[in-house]
Amino acid sequence: MGKLQDKVAIVTGAGSGMGLAIATAYAHEGAKVVLADINAETLKQVETAITDAGDVAISVVADMSKEDDIKNLVKEAVETYGQLDILVNNAGIMDNFKTVGNVTDDLWNKVIAINLTGPFLASREAINVMKDQEHGGVIINNASVGGLYGARGGAAYAASKHGLLGLTKNIAATYGTFGNIRANAIAPGSVATNIGNSITDPDPLGGQAIAATGANDSPMGQPEQIAAVAVFLGSEDSSFVNGDVIKADGGWTAR
């Protein structure tokens, strides 16, 4: 019996990086995983790898900036498996460390839409399923140390991740304190994923600010290490953990 045996879990951004690692770990722990990503090809590859290993998963192509896609994602999960126990809001993008003076409206709106509004919409859909379940549910938001400090990303990224932590705490203080839905967040530091490939035009001032944090010498984590935290938060091992933010940064921000 795995720690997540027969739980139904949605993992967004499951096509690569931390999302892939979380989805794989969840399936290995016995969960029925609903994989979501905007990239249909990589998403199908992840689904095939999980099912070939004898575990259970389906995939739903979804753009986490589109409300209709998010509604369909939750609908598919519930119609397929009859319940929804865990939502992992992992999908996210970076912003080239753009400072306030250099952020375009389009970049700001895109980052906020995917990193904050998407998790809000997904949480709303999930909560309206979970609140009526006897066993409730769990929401896990992948927030980044960029949600705790000002210089671990650009203006839009930092604002989106700070907002995501506020959303997490509000869910915990309401549905968790007076109901049956726990909400927690993970704040990873540097992790070896392909998200760094999106840094194509870094803002010099933003780059100077993150360099001052010691980012160039920060420990580099692996996606599987973040997945282990997500398994803990999704399982009964964390039944008394609610509204918390677990930093997984190898001690970078402890310096």
Side-chain angles (χ1 to χ4, degrees):
M1 293 286 287
K3 291 186 176 183
L4 303 175
Q5 195 66 41
D6 296 326
K7 299 288 188 182
V8 176
I10 290 175
V11 180
T12 71
S16 63
M18 288 181 281
L20 187 160
I22 292 168
T24 302
Y26 271 36
H28 181 69
E29 290 289 347
K32 301 169 184 175
V33 185
V34 181
L35 311 163
D37 201 279
I38 197 170
N39 189 316
E41 183 178 353
T42 57
L43 191 62
K44 193 63 180 179
Q45 290 171 356
V46 176
E47 179 187 356
T48 299
I50 289 174
T51 56
D52 282 353
D55 296 320
V56 181
I58 62 169
S59 57
V60 180
V61 177
D63 181 339
M64 296 308 294
S65 69
K66 296 183 177 179
E67 185 173 4
D68 287 347
D69 281 14
I70 293 167
K71 287 184 175 181
N72 180 64
L73 171 61
V74 174
K75 179 182 177 183
E76 285 289 324
V78 175
E79 288 186 349
T80 301
Y81 297 119
Q83 63 193 57
L84 177 58
D85 305 295
I86 306 167
L87 168 64
V88 182
N89 285 310
N90 167 75
I93 59 172
M94 296 188 72
D95 63 356
N96 273 303
F97 306 116
K98 294 297 182 182
T99 52
V100 168
N102 293 324
V103 178
T104 64
D105 289 353
D106 286 347
L107 179 59
W108 175 272
N109 291 334
K110 182 178 181 180
V111 172
I112 296 296
I114 295 173
N115 290 5
L116 180 56
T117 305
F120 154 67
L121 293 171
S123 295
R124 184 170 66 185
E125 293 299 312
I127 282 169
N128 283 322
V129 174
M130 293 173 174
K131 67 182 178 61
D132 295 325
Q133 298 177 157
E134 183 178 354
H135 58 276
V138 178
I139 293 174
I140 301 166
N141 292 320
N142 204 359
S144 159
V145 292
L148 295 166
Y149 304 96
R152 268 74 176 181
Y157 184 81
S160 70
K161 295 300 186 176
H162 275 74
L164 188 57
L165 292 183
L167 177 66
T168 304
K169 293 175 182 179
N170 179 262
I171 293 169
T174 53
Y175 293 95
T177 302
F178 301 102
N180 58 357
I181 300 169
R182 292 188 297 114
N184 292 290
I186 306 171
S190 299
V191 181
T193 71
N194 62 4
I195 196 170
N197 295 335
S198 67
I199 304 173
T200 56
D201 180 31
D203 184 303
L205 181 57
Q208 183 179 349
I210 193 168
T213 70
N216 293 333
D217 297 318
S218 65
M220 180 63 69
Q222 296 300 315
E224 292 76 16
Q225 293 174 296
I226 308 304
V229 180
V231 168
F232 166 71
L233 289 176
S235 74
E236 288 303 306
D237 288 348
S238 63
S239 61
F240 201 52
V241 181
N242 186 38
D244 205 358
V245 183
I246 297 180
K247 287 189 291 183
D249 66 356
W252 174 22
T253 57
R255 299 175 183 175

